[in-house]
Amino acid sequence: MDFGIVLQTDPPARDVVRLMKTAEDKGFRYGWTFDSCVLWQEPFVIYSQILAATSSLVVGPMVTSPGTRDWSVLASLFATLNDMYGNRTVCGIGRGDSAHRVIGKPPSTLATLRESMHVIKELAEGREAMLGDTAVKIPWVRNGRLEMWMAGYGPKALKMVGEHADGFILQCADPAIARWTIGSVREAARAAGRDPAGITICVAAPAYVGDDLAHQREQLRWFGGMVGNHVADLVARYGDAGQVPRELTDYIRERQGYDYAHHGKTGNPTTDFVPDDIVDRFCLLGPAGAHVQRLEELAELGVDQFALYLMHDEREQTLDDYGSQIISKLTT
């Protein structure tokens, strides 16, 4: 299993770069950031500094969207970084949540997302693609490579991952939900004539190593609120029973809304509806042995990477604990 960290691009950017370098030194192979440029700083500027400060770390957004930048701009951003640093980027992409909603846009449609994945990949890898009615090709790309990893939860999104994406990002570490989503992706891949094993599976969730579970839960409760934004969309579309497992839908019944000013942050006042058992299921808490046990269970389900959301009050210690006690248990 590979390991990644996920950071918000809070200023000062040098701290983001420093934590990414520390993570690489401790055995992490991927460095991800949020991509919501009103709430945080522009990540692609910072990626250049991260890539310069590291030797092999692969960087990318978790996740970007089709609606905040022109697709030719996104493709050129990735292609430029790859040309400078040797194909060390990956594009995590989804319909759009905070980046869209804070500027008054709804999430993109799945049809738009599917088209954007194709166009961005083709352009970033040096091939011609259609932007509207115009054929476009970036002429200076040589030997470019860009994998498109799609995030999603619902049946139609999972089907699209299996049919079109290079990787799948599940923002939730609950094994029951992982089993259902990974199975859906693989079934769709087989039906489309693709090799299911060729789709990289990435589970992303907060992790906090230690013995004070009550404190850890309060530090990580925000994550259930963030996931709840997507679940609320699913419930509106599919209802609260049927195609989407109740393990994913039941807990948002008391949800009253969401404050994006506190998105992804400890103490978000609109995440009080998230119960302790959801924090325990969606995140990794407790001593190092509990983390290893959960990660081994996820690996058995086919998870190729665990990406650790590092948004709590013990970021440095968590990196140390993963580097000294956990990563080696899953990569030997």
Side-chain angles (χ1 to χ4, degrees), residues 117-134:
M117 288 197 298
H118 171 74
V119 170
I120 293 164
K121 183 180 179 71
E122 293 297 290
L123 293 177
E125 294 187 344
R127 295 183 292 275
E128 183 177 279
M130 296 300 295
L131 273 173
D133 297 326
T134 303

Side-chain angles (χ1 to χ4, degrees), residues 83-103:
D83 186 66
M84 294 172 68
Y85 298 104
N87 287 335
R88 289 170 53 200
T89 68
V90 57
C91 180
I93 193 167
R95 293 177 59 218
D97 179 35
S98 63
H100 283 220
R101 287 180 162 123
V102 298
I103 60 173

Side-chain angles (χ1 to χ4, degrees), residues 7 19 207-212 215-216 219-220 222 266 291 308-322:
L7 300 175
L19 283 168
Y208 195 132
V209 182
D211 297 316
D212 188 347
H215 178 72
Q216 292 177 20
Q219 287 287 305
L220 305 183
W222 63 266
T266 297
H291 292 242
L308 191 168
Y309 280 96
L310 203 60
M311 292 101 191
H312 53 66
D313 61 357
E314 289 288 355
R315 299 193 302 176
E316 309 269 359
Q317 187 61 52
T318 297
L319 285 178
D320 287 343
D321 290 337
Y322 262 72

